[in-house]
Amino acid sequence: MRFRFPKKISAFAVLLSLLPLAIVGPIYGIDEYYRFQELSSPERIQFEKERKLCIFPLRNLSGDKNIDFYSAGYASVVYSGLKSLVQIYDESLIPKSIQYAYGAQGESTRIREGEWDAKKLEKLRRGEYNLTTSRDPRYLSLKVQPYEGEVAPDEGFIIPVSRKFDCFYAIYGEFEKKGKDEIQIRIRLRSSKDGSKKEFSHKTSVRRSYQELGTIIEEIRRILLGKTTQTFSVKTSQHYDSLVFLDGNYIGKTPLRRTDILAGVHDVRVTKNGFEDWIGQVDLRDGPKELNIPLEKDKKEGFVTITSEPSGAKVYLGSEYLGTTPLAKIPVKTGWNRIRLTMEDHVDKFKGVEVKKGETAEVFAKLRLGDSVTYYKNRKYLFLDHTYDDFAIYSLYGTLFFYAGYYYFNYRADQAFESIRPTVTITNFVALQNLAQSSPSQQTFLMSYFYQEHVYQHARNQFNNYRSLGGNFARHTGIQGGLMLDCMGLMLALTVTFYALGLDSETVEVGTAPVKTVPSYVKVYDNQYETESFAKFKMRF
């Protein structure tokens, strides 16, 4: 007791010391202290956009292991019937995240696109919003995934198995053989939304059990879709196999006809390699629709705007003549290329340019007085779009090509003799004597001899023909001319020649040449100094 009494006195003294602060300053509630009334946050709800349907094998209740294969087989048949489903409708929306509102709601607290609140949802349900299905949260993408390799789950394990694979819907069940040729199939569809399940039962013959699953599959489709459907057809004239996407989901190739598209306003994209994408909308609220879309060739074009000082210069894009400057938004192919500007009594100017699809590349060049022929000591980058270096590389590629031909024809020549080895036995005088002794008569000997001689001569002619095309060089045979070998030599000679022609210490790739001066240094444009042996490269072309 003597220890507690001083503690109480101490606590009372502390409270008395804080009393003046309470009298002098106001006491705030927590919402007033943090000024929650001045701050605000609207109600924001985001909904799920995709659900997953998992299809599991069916359990075999018969005890007959000879029909175990039906377990995964039924799952595959169900998957084949449902895999085309890409979109479903559910009026009962499931929130993914909710932010509750607080504070005074002002103009600055409007919810963003894709977010919802109670008032906005009520308007949606009353039909006051005319939204496309891609923006309406009641339309959900469906991902159908088979799991034929998994163990067939029973009723007690379907919930943990569904959680393991993140399944919103699960299809499972069992089958049992009744009698000699009768089978009972029970398939269940379980939903994670409320844990509900629907069972579909069908009794059929063992032989026709796959085919007669169609009625169950159609019933499952109807339940999953959740809304009336319409027929949607797409044609692209003679351009078959165009890919069709509905609300971002691939639904097939043209010519396309689908009878299970949900009623609503859908975003459609049709694409085919080499053609411009077609993007539009289709309204399936009132009835079926058919689109006949004329696809246009993908021009893969960008634009260039080219000006020069002085103007009036001729412009070439690679080897294509574009016109004289100034040029404004000239359509050209996309990609990297080289622009050449040429004008009488002026030095040609080169510019590298990257043309992007739908964009305009701007090029400006200032031409200087002079003669291009004397300005560029080596013309390999001047008038041709292909340089000596390019020709050297092309010739080297040609050498490799003809070497492949040389190898091929020599291989065929060797095979001509190898193929007759089991047939021709007369290879020397001893073999000829053995054939004569083993032949029952002279007529048989002569027939065998002339037949082998004929086979040999035919192979010899093939060998000579292939060798004349390929040629050959080896230590024991020397060099034997042939088309492929001669062309190899020619290509090698051209490679060396073009490479030698391209060797020039004064070669300038693009636009600027070394300056010839008497003093070792001279001031040139852009306030920079260059020596006689220095070449300035502004671009890589």
Side-chain angles (χ1 to χ4, degrees):
M1 293 295 293
R2 62 177 182 177
F3 294 104
R4 294 180 181 177
F5 185 71
K7 289 182 178 179
K8 291 183 178 180
I9 295 176
S10 301
F12 182 71
V14 172
L15 290 175
L16 288 177
S17 65
L18 294 175
L19 184 61
L21 296 177
I23 297 174
V24 174
I27 298 178
Y28 293 101
I30 190 169
D31 56 341
E32 294 177 347
Y33 183 78
Y34 287 104
R35 301 189 305 170
F36 282 154
Q37 293 89 348
E38 300 176 22
L39 303 174
S40 65
S41 176
E43 179 184 12
R44 288 193 174 101
I45 307 174
Q46 291 184 337
F47 295 100
E48 57 177 345
K49 296 182 179 180
E50 183 182 81
R51 290 179 180 175
K52 184 179 179 181
L53 169 63
C54 301
I55 302 175
F56 297 101
L58 274 60
R59 291 189 302 144
N60 180 11
L61 302 182
S62 303
D64 185 358
K65 294 185 178 181
N66 293 326
I67 60 173
D68 278 348
F69 66 92
Y70 279 115
S71 180
Y74 290 135
S76 297
V77 173
V78 174
Y79 170 68
S80 298
L82 298 177
K83 66 180 180 181
S84 61
L85 279 180
V86 295
Q87 193 177 62
I88 59 175
Y89 180 87
D90 192 347
E91 188 71 33
S92 302
L93 301 173
I94 299 179
K96 187 177 180 181
S97 65
I98 300 176
Q99 175 182 296
Y100 293 98
Y102 66 86
Q105 302 298 302
E107 291 294 325
S108 61
T109 59
R110 292 179 178 177
I111 61 176
R112 296 186 292 268
E113 181 70 26
E115 296 177 337
W116 299 82
D117 59 13
K119 294 180 180 179
K120 191 176 178 183
L121 284 173
E122 186 60 31
K123 291 181 179 180
L124 177 68
R125 291 191 173 98
R126 290 200 303 263
E128 297 180 16
Y129 284 139
N130 292 323
L131 300 177
T132 60
T133 57
S134 59
R135 298 174 59 193
D136 192 331
R138 296 172 295 183
Y139 291 84
L140 301 162
S141 296
L142 182 67
K143 180 182 179 182
V144 184
Q145 184 70 41
Y147 291 96
E148 297 103 326
E150 294 294 319
V151 177
D154 60 14
E155 191 67 40
F157 287 93
I158 190 61
I159 294 178
V161 170
S162 297
R163 289 176 179 173
K164 174 184 176 182
F165 295 106
D166 195 24
C167 308
F168 190 93
Y169 301 103
I171 289 179
Y172 61 103
E174 60 265 350
F175 63 95
E176 185 176 4
K177 190 176 181 181
K178 302 281 189 178
K180 184 178 180 181
D181 192 37
E182 188 178 75
I183 196 164
Q184 178 77 35
I185 303 172
R186 286 184 293 273
I187 295 178
R188 299 181 185 91
L189 171 65
R190 183 187 176 277
S191 173
S192 299
K193 181 172 68 174
D194 51 8
S196 62
K197 62 181 178 181
K198 296 183 182 296
E199 183 172 310
F200 310 88
S201 181
H202 185 64
K203 184 179 291 186
T204 179
S205 64
V206 175
R207 293 183 179 181
R208 293 192 54 81
S209 57
Y210 282 164
Q211 294 88 334
E212 295 189 7
L213 279 179
T215 55
I216 296 179
I217 293 172
E218 287 304 315
E219 184 65 18
I220 295 175
R221 287 173 67 92
R222 185 186 62 80
I223 294 173
L224 289 172
L225 285 167
K227 192 179 182 180
T228 57
T229 59
Q230 300 288 357
T231 300
F232 178 49
S233 303
V234 183
K235 297 179 180 179
T236 49
S237 301
Q238 301 299 320
H239 306 304
Y240 302 120
D241 295 333
S242 301
L243 307 183
V244 182
F245 293 85
L246 190 79
D247 300 322
N249 300 304
Y250 171 71
I251 61 172
K253 297 180 180 181
T254 59
L256 173 72
R257 186 177 184 273
R258 292 283 297 266
T259 60
D260 58 350
I261 304 301
L262 293 171
V265 180
H266 298 270
D267 296 322
V268 180
R269 179 167 67 94
V270 181
T271 180
K272 184 176 176 64
N273 190 25
F275 294 85
E276 294 280 355
D277 288 357
W278 184 91
I279 299 175
Q281 291 183 344
V282 60
D283 190 348
L284 297 176
R285 290 175 295 184
D286 300 327
K289 289 290 187 300
E290 179 177 332
L291 297 180
N292 195 349
I293 301 170
L295 294 180
E296 297 182 0
K297 284 279 188 180
D298 187 359
K299 299 178 181 178
K300 294 184 178 179
E301 284 187 349
F303 303 92
V304 290
T305 295
I306 305 171
T307 55
S308 67
E309 183 183 332
S311 59
K314 294 181 180 180
V315 181
Y316 296 86
L317 182 72
S319 58
E320 178 186 0
Y321 175 67
L322 299 183
T324 58
T325 57
L327 298 174
K329 285 198 81 170
I330 303 298
V332 295
K333 292 182 178 180
T334 57
W336 279 97
N337 216 319
R338 184 182 68 169
I339 288 179
R340 177 166 68 97
L341 295 93
T342 180
M343 191 175 187
E344 189 175 357
D345 298 328
H346 289 76
V347 177
D348 289 358
K349 190 73 173 180
F350 296 88
K351 290 279 188 178
V353 62
E354 182 184 14
V355 181
K356 297 182 179 180
K357 185 177 180 180
E359 298 183 10
T360 302
E362 297 185 359
V363 177
F364 170 76
K366 185 175 182 180
L367 303 179
R368 61 174 65 185
L369 292 172
D371 181 37
S372 296
V373 175
T374 57
Y375 184 82
Y376 294 101
K377 299 301 179 183
N378 190 321
R379 303 182 188 180
K380 70 175 189 173
Y381 290 99
L382 183 56
F383 303 110
L384 294 175
D385 199 41
H386 299 278
T387 68
Y388 286 138
D389 289 344
D390 294 333
F391 288 135
I393 295 297
Y394 299 155
S395 300
L396 186 59
Y397 288 157
T399 303
L400 296 176
F401 172 78
F402 287 115
Y403 175 75
Y406 160 81
Y407 180 85
Y408 170 77
F409 286 118
N410 275 278
Y411 172 77
R412 292 298 302 271
D414 294 337
Q415 284 296 109
F417 276 139
E418 288 293 330
S419 62
I420 67 169
R421 185 179 297 275
T423 306
V424 178
T425 60
I426 305 174
T427 57
N428 51 44
F429 182 74
V430 175
L432 183 62
Q433 283 185 327
N434 292 335
L435 177 63
Q437 293 175 0
S438 60
S439 299
S441 63
Q442 186 177 5
Q443 183 179 2
T444 304
F445 166 74
L446 292 175
M447 289 178 62
S448 177
Y449 173 79
F450 286 119
Y451 171 74
Q452 294 189 39
E453 180 68 19
H454 171 74
V455 171
Y456 173 78
Q457 289 299 330
H458 178 71
R460 185 72 181 178
N461 292 334
Q462 282 189 321
F463 174 84
N464 292 333
N465 290 335
Y466 287 130
R467 184 56 61 85
S468 65
L469 289 173
N472 188 39
F473 62 94
R475 291 182 179 179
H476 61 284
T477 58
I479 298 178
Q480 298 177 358
L483 179 62
M484 297 295 108
L485 192 60
D486 296 341
C487 290
M488 279 175 56
L490 177 61
M491 289 294 104
L492 282 173
L494 290 176
T495 300
V496 174
T497 302
F498 286 128
Y499 181 77
L501 290 174
L503 292 176
D504 189 340
S505 61
E506 295 181 347
T507 294
V508 178
E509 290 195 1
V510 176
T512 307
V515 181
K516 294 288 186 180
T517 63
V518 175
S520 59
Y521 293 91
V522 64
K523 186 175 182 179
V524 295
Y525 56 90
D526 295 336
N527 296 320
Q528 296 185 24
Y529 290 85
E530 294 182 350
T531 65
E532 185 174 345
S533 61
F534 181 79
K536 181 181 178 184
F537 296 84
K538 283 195 171 182
M539 303 295 291
R540 294 180 302 166
F541 294 86

